[in-house]
Amino acid sequence: MTVGSPESPQESIMVGQMCIRYLIDGTATGGMGIFELSVPPNSNVPPPHSHTRNEECAYVLEGTLRYSVNGVERDLHPGEWMFTPRGAVHQFSNPHGDTARALIVLTPDIGAQYFRDVAGIVNAGGPPDRAKLLGVMSRYGLIPAAQGAAARQGASPDA
């Protein structure tokens, strides 16, 4: 049995203004992963996308996180959650005044390395290289939604 505690050292991965703090990296076992996601107000966020191999659940801890799955959009408050089935187009954002924090559960996990790879591109300075981002997404089974779906969900496909 593994027990984590707030005192254990855990890597925080900054992707732009967002912070990802992995609690369980399930890639070693091919199982479930859990990370804490912090999204400051009006942060750049990933474009609408789907996962070919993963299911995802977002559970809000603090603030308000806007989350959409297959066009159903909700403002989630602490204690509320949304589930994303494999293959469903989903996206999150924070157009509100306070930082939102959520626990994200992925099964099977895509792992912390995905976020390290994305951070290397996003944090390089200047606009992110879209081709490199799409390459990373593809390697981990993420598929950007079609531009029409992105427009319907209120995001720029270049986000």
Side-chain angles (χ1 to χ4, degrees), residues 10-102:
Q10 294 165 337
E11 176 185 14
S12 290
I13 304 165
M14 296 301 298
V15 178
Q17 295 178 305
M18 293 184 305
C19 182
I20 292 94
R21 187 172 64 95
Y22 252 84
L23 304 175
I24 299 172
D25 189 331
T27 56
T29 62
M32 174 186 72
I34 300 176
F35 60 90
E36 182 182 298
L37 172 68
S38 294
V39 185
N42 302 310
S43 298
N44 286 328
V45 295
H49 63 279
S50 62
H51 297 260
T52 58
R53 301 183 288 258
N54 320 89
E55 296 178 323
E56 181 173 322
C57 185
Y59 179 88
V60 174
L61 300 169
E62 181 179 302
T64 304
L65 185 69
R66 183 161 292 163
Y67 202 85
S68 66
V69 178
N70 285 338
V72 176
E73 183 177 86
R74 292 179 46 209
D75 281 343
L76 302 176
H77 304 279
E80 296 179 333
W81 56 275
M82 266 181 105
F83 172 72
T84 306
R86 186 174 312 190
V89 174
H90 61 288
Q91 180 186 26
F92 64 89
S93 65
N94 181 3
H96 307 288
D98 295 318
T99 295
R101 279 188 328 114

Side-chain angles (χ1 to χ4, degrees), residues 92-148:
F92 64 89
S93 65
N94 181 3
H96 307 288
D98 295 318
T99 295
R101 279 188 328 114
L103 280 181
I104 308 296
V105 178
L106 285 165
T107 185
D109 193 14
I110 59 174
Q113 188 59 50
Y114 168 76
F115 295 102
R116 289 185 205 107
D117 292 351
V118 168
I121 297 166
V122 170
N123 300 341
D129 183 318
R130 183 171 169 77
K132 286 182 181 178
L133 280 174
L134 292 175
V136 169
M137 290 176 76
S138 176
R139 280 196 309 275
Y140 288 88
L142 280 72
I143 301 170
Q147 288 188 349

